[in-house]
Amino acid sequence: MKVLLVDDSGTMRAIQRRCLNKLGIEEIVEAADGIQALEFFERNSFDVVLSDWNMPNMDGLTLLKEIRQRNKQIPVIMVTTEAERGRVLTAIEAGVSDYLVKPFTPDGLRDKLEKWVSTQV
Amino acid sequence: MSTAVSESAGLTVECVGPIVAATELVFATMLGCTPTRTGLAVKWQTTPTYGLCAIVNLSGHASGTIVLGMSERAACGVLHRMIDEIALEITDEVRDAVGELAAMIGGQTKSKLKDLALTISIPRITRGRNQHIPFPADVRPICIRYDSEIGPFSVDFALTRAIQTEVRSEP
């Protein structure tokens, strides 16, 4: 199981990384924006992508669309402050697999990650 | 007070409820804190209430600024509560953690003000009490002060309606 974790906040990456570690996932590649993430995505094979929406250089929605041009199947979970229905629908139209709004509780994050990690094992 | 200024002040006042709800939700969910409001006042200066600030700009049918300000002790407490790391001074990690909290407060606030179709900027972190916060010029900001388990903090904000150009047809 290999996860691509994309967020411009090191704090948010640390929270998600620790949650993934607790689920037994150790192979995690971290990126701070969409451009870096896309570079990693093209050079590696991942099982799940977790991505923030609002990031410098390339945002998460653009990253999602780029990933979907290359891979229609891989689960992409948006972990974001964008909570409005319209934004969620935009992400769904672009092919997002699941959506988690910040702020989230540790249990909320674990449940969301567990669902996708377990289906990919 | 002109009508335009009065309307803008009204919009900032309308935001008090959504910002209070957003702040209390973010602090409770991400930090396990129960912040207590200790004051609410109109600000007469554009200088920050605390030395460390995370600034989020809002744009859309309205534009404005939300500033999460806190003491060094409270900021270090944010990092500790979020990822269990201890910092004794303001580090890049502390700045990042406080910025992420401000982004969440901005995100939750805009989700409660759907009619304004707001977008939020990536948070910008500043230090120092003698700086000018770029609030909208036509409205006084409001400062909500809190106390919490990690120390005192404040949320300063102002929002003004975006100027809309009216197109009139010739008679």
Side-chain angles (χ1 to χ4, degrees):
Chain A
M1 167 64 60
K2 191 168 180 177
V3 175
L4 177 57
L5 175 54
V6 193
D7 200 306
D8 59 324
S9 164
T11 309
M12 294 313 298
R13 292 200 306 272
I15 290 172
Q16 293 172 70
R17 182 176 63 244
R18 287 172 189 195
C19 187
L20 287 164
N21 290 158
K22 284 181 182 171
L23 293 172
I25 311 299
E26 296 291 342
E27 209 171 354
I28 303 162
V29 176
E30 297 185 22
D33 62 38
I35 289 177
Q36 194 181 28
L38 201 56
E39 285 173 9
F40 290 146
F41 190 82
E42 287 180 330
R43 286 196 227 126
N44 297 271
S45 177
F46 293 99
D47 300 294
V48 176
V49 178
L50 302 176
S51 180
D52 187 15
W53 187 315
N54 295 311
M55 296 180 288
N57 305 321
M58 181 193 285
D59 65 28
L61 183 65
T62 308
L63 173 64
L64 170 64
K65 290 174 181 173
E66 292 285 344
I67 287 174
R68 284 292 172 247
Q69 285 180 9
R70 292 159 175 79
N71 186 326
K72 303 273 188 225
Q73 309 300 326
I74 186 169
V76 179
I77 306 165
M78 202 71 94
V79 184
T80 174
T81 57
E82 298 288 348
E84 301 99 293
R85 189 167 176 271
R87 301 291 268 178
V88 177
L89 288 174
T90 299
I92 290 171
E93 284 169 9
V96 79
S97 311
D98 211 337
Y99 205 92
L100 180 62
V101 175
K102 301 173 188 175
F104 47 73
T105 61
D107 286 350
L109 176 63
R110 190 202 58 225
D111 291 350
K112 191 69 77 176
L113 296 183
E114 200 167 29
K115 172 183 160 190
W116 288 101
V117 165
S118 62
T119 56
Q120 297 301 305
V121 171
Chain B
M1 187 183 282
S2 73
T3 305
V5 171
S6 174
E7 283 179 7
S8 290
L11 184 57
T12 300
V13 171
E14 278 176 36
C15 290
V16 170
I19 284 186
V20 164
T23 302
E24 294 179 2
L25 174 71
V26 168
F27 270 70
T29 310
M30 296 308 296
L31 307 180
C33 283
T34 310
T36 307
R37 261 173 286 160
T38 56
L40 188 153
V42 172
K43 276 179 79 83
W44 295 94
Q45 311 85 25
T46 57
T47 50
T49 306
Y50 288 99
L52 181 76
C53 294
I55 303 170
V56 175
N57 295 314
L58 305 165
S59 55
H61 295 329
S63 62
T65 307
I66 299 175
V67 181
L68 173 63
M70 55 181 64
S71 65
E72 193 166 303
R73 179 172 68 91
C76 292
V78 168
L79 182 73
H80 184 232
R81 291 216 171 209
M82 283 180 89
I83 57 172
D84 201 26
E85 282 188 10
I86 293 172
L88 301 175
E89 57 183 2
I90 302 299
T91 61
D92 286 347
E93 289 76 18
V94 172
R95 288 189 189 91
D96 181 81
V98 174
E100 195 59 21
L101 278 193
M104 288 183 218
I105 292 170
Q108 283 294 314
T109 300
K110 87 183 181 81
S111 74
K112 296 174 194 325
L113 299 169
K114 294 185 185 74
D115 293 347
L116 297 177
L118 297 170
T119 58
I120 57 170
S121 71
I122 290 168
R124 181 168 61 90
I125 311 298
T126 64
R127 283 192 80 180
R129 298 287 298 273
N130 294 321
Q131 58 181 305
H132 161 73
I133 304 290
F135 290 112
D138 62 341
V139 60
R140 295 278 178 209
I142 286 177
C143 170
I144 307 174
R145 286 176 178 269
Y146 287 93
D147 201 358
S148 74
E149 294 89 331
I150 57 169
F153 68 94
S154 67
V155 181
D156 301 352
F157 59 95
L159 206 66
T160 186
R161 290 203 187 275
I163 296 166
Q164 293 181 352
T165 307
E166 193 175 326
V167 179
R168 291 184 181 171
S169 57
E170 291 296 321

